[in-house]
Amino acid sequence: DQQVKQNSPSLSVQEGRISILNCDYTNSMFDYFLWYKKYPAEGPTFLISISSIKDKNEDGRFTVFLNKSAKHLSLHIVPSQPGDSAVYFCAASVHTGKLIFGQGTTLQVKP
Amino acid sequence: GAGVSQSPRYKVAKRGQDVALRCDPISGHVSLFWYQQALGQGPEFLTYFQNEAQLDKSGLPSDRFFAERPEGSVSTLKIQRTQQEDSAVYLCASNPGGDQPQHFGDGTRLSIL
């Protein structure tokens, strides 16, 4: 039972355009959501988080949106840069405990 | 360094051998987590410590897997009588506790021959 799903295995965008990565979840008890970025042979690097009391959180070029009624999370990167090319994981937890991860989306930003 | 440190980075073992993987969390971080990541998948939770107390071990796949954190800092994940299906990247993460993100090490890639 996959509680966190990233249905797009890959995404390709042009440099300077917006990248939108999506994530769906099934467990309504999740109250904390995070996005991580991962380069090959490295551990996941924390990008941005949002708690369930908010519907938007912004940090520089990265914005996370949470739609609790739809159980949907998205990460917007504007403008996209070639260095953003990586695998992006969304993750969710209950009371900031163990993280449940999606399968990841590989983002390629073309110069 | 200031990050989570894991060793060894790579480990090759023969089926049936025991292995031990080490995690050195960020100094002062109360919470420590272990995850297993299979190729092409997201990390999957194994176990969680708060200081030296193991509060959740629901993700450990079998009784061959054992984790400890005796002094509330460094943690060791031990796998006994390794099987081929144990081949994966083992990730360790820590956080100060509360509503703080987990910070990950670079993992140990375990290959069982």
Side-chain angles (χ1 to χ4, degrees), chain B residues 36-105:
Chain B
Q36 180 189 60
Q37 185 174 21
L39 193 63
Q41 301 295 317
E44 291 193 359
F45 171 78
L46 293 176
T47 187
Y48 157 54
F49 291 85
Q50 191 173 80
N51 296 305
E52 68 279 3
Q54 189 174 20
L55 298 187
D56 187 348
K57 53 182 181 179
S58 62
L60 296 177
S62 77
D63 59 6
R64 297 186 295 104
F65 286 72
F66 172 77
E68 60 183 3
R69 194 187 185 197
E71 297 179 359
S73 56
V74 171
S75 176
T76 303
L77 176 67
K78 297 179 180 178
I79 309 173
Q80 296 177 323
R81 306 181 302 282
T82 52
Q83 303 294 318
Q84 282 196 321
E85 63 262 29
D86 300 335
S87 296
V89 175
Y90 290 84
L91 294 163
C92 176
S94 70
N95 75 4
D99 193 8
Q100 297 294 322
Q102 295 177 27
H103 295 275
F104 284 79

Side-chain angles (χ1 to χ4, degrees), chain A residues 2 32 34 36 38 41-46 49 51 89 95-104, chain B residues 9-10 33 35 37 40-45 56 58 91 95 98-106:
Chain A
Q2 193 78 25
Y32 185 53
L34 308 90
Y36 285 85
K38 187 180 183 304
E42 295 184 10
T45 301
F46 169 71
S49 64
S51 77
F89 291 98
H95 303 320
T96 66
K98 66 185 182 186
L99 296 178
I100 308 299
F101 283 86
Q103 307 97 307
Chain B
R9 285 297 314 275
Y10 303 92
F33 302 80
Y35 295 85
Q37 185 174 21
Q41 301 295 317
E44 291 193 359
F45 171 78
D56 187 348
S58 62
L91 294 163
N95 75 4
D99 193 8
Q100 297 294 322
Q102 295 177 27
H103 295 275
F104 284 79
D106 286 338

Side-chain angles (χ1 to χ4, degrees), chain A residues 12-28:
Chain A
S12 182
V13 300
Q14 207 66 36
E15 181 179 6
R17 306 294 292 269
I18 184 170
S19 295
I20 300 176
L21 296 102
N22 294 302
C23 180
D24 296 298
Y25 62 94
T26 57
N27 188 345
S28 58

